[in-house]
Amino acid sequence: MAKITPKSILKQNKKETKITEKNLEQKASSDNVSDAMKNIFNINGVIEGIKPIDDTFKVVGRIRTAQTDSNDWGTLIKAIYECKEDEILFVKCSDDKKAVWGEMASTAALKNNLKATVIFGASRDTNEIKDLGYKVFSKTTRSNAGFPSYEGMIGEDIIVDDRIIKTGDLLIGDSDGVVIVSQDDVDVILKEVNNIKKFEDKCLKKLVDEDLNLDDILGI
């Protein structure tokens, strides 16, 4: 067992303050990640229009993709059982005219240890899903649904808002929206998120403790 010294304790505390993929959900937000993507790649990373069905829902994790017609919710039932533990099922629908996800799918996903389901389309059974505590994000909610067909794709690359999204990409979702980071860019984005949080903390300290004006702090 490693010897515990003041130096080792300080080193451990330093490690704990660093934002990593593991603690990103607790230490940062979709806003921070979007800002990091803007700073590094000049894109915001936001998947437009998607919000949690409950504002308290927040999730960070790797995704498994699926794509289906809004009339076909059967593909998503199959997708649940192709997801690995702690993955987020990210679904692109043809439109949001019919719901492709509801209470039964959420129950099955919860039993299969998925972290969340994020739908570029519509969900339903909102109150029942909230009671379950399973995290669902979608563009809208609808009462009507289609049929249990199985005509979509699971695990394939998909295109949303002119962006290629792949199984294994990192998703950050909270009350402000959903941001996806390419798996190849996770390390550089996390580094920039750390820079952003340090800068914000310094600004807030000056604003509150030193009673400076925000425009002076920001130099604008």
Side-chain angles (χ1 to χ4, degrees), residues 30-47:
S30 65
D31 310 355
N32 301 137
V33 177
S34 179
D35 285 349
M37 293 192 70
K38 177 187 66 178
N39 292 349
I40 301 297
F41 299 117
N42 200 32
I43 59 172
N44 59 42
V46 174
I47 307 300

Side-chain angles (χ1 to χ4, degrees), residues 129-163:
I129 295 172
K130 286 181 180 180
D131 289 342
L132 278 173
Y134 182 71
K135 297 174 182 179
V136 173
F137 295 65
S138 62
K139 290 182 73 175
T140 189
T141 56
R142 301 279 188 197
S143 298
N144 55 313
F147 300 93
S149 308
Y150 178 37
E151 299 173 354
M153 301 185 304
I154 302 168
E156 303 294 328
D157 295 355
I158 57 178
I159 298 176
V160 177
D161 295 339
D162 297 323
R163 288 186 56 203

Side-chain angles (χ1 to χ4, degrees), residues 48-132:
E48 293 294 339
I50 300 180
K51 290 290 184 72
I53 63 169
D54 186 316
D55 281 345
T56 65
F57 288 166
K58 184 176 183 180
V59 69
V60 172
R62 300 290 178 140
I63 66 172
R64 183 161 299 270
T65 62
Q67 183 167 330
T68 186
D69 188 276
S70 67
N71 199 44
D72 166 26
W73 50 263
T75 294
L76 304 192
I77 303 304
K78 293 287 187 181
I80 291 169
Y81 301 102
E82 291 199 21
C83 284
K84 297 177 182 177
E85 184 175 350
D86 286 334
E87 281 188 324
I88 298 169
L89 180 58
F90 180 84
V91 183
K92 179 190 177 183
C93 290
S94 57
D95 53 60
D96 56 16
K97 294 179 180 178
K98 295 180 181 179
V100 294
W101 192 270
E103 179 186 12
M104 289 196 298
S106 295
T107 303
L110 199 59
K111 286 185 65 180
N112 207 47
N113 298 312
L114 275 68
K115 272 192 172 182
T117 298
V118 180
I119 308 166
F120 193 73
S123 63
R124 68 176 190 173
D125 299 332
T126 303
N127 289 331
E128 291 83 357
I129 295 172
K130 286 181 180 180
D131 289 342
L132 278 173

Side-chain angles (χ1 to χ4, degrees), residues 167-179:
T167 292
D169 288 347
L170 182 69
L171 182 145
I172 303 89
D174 54 31
S175 58
D176 284 338
V178 168
V179 176

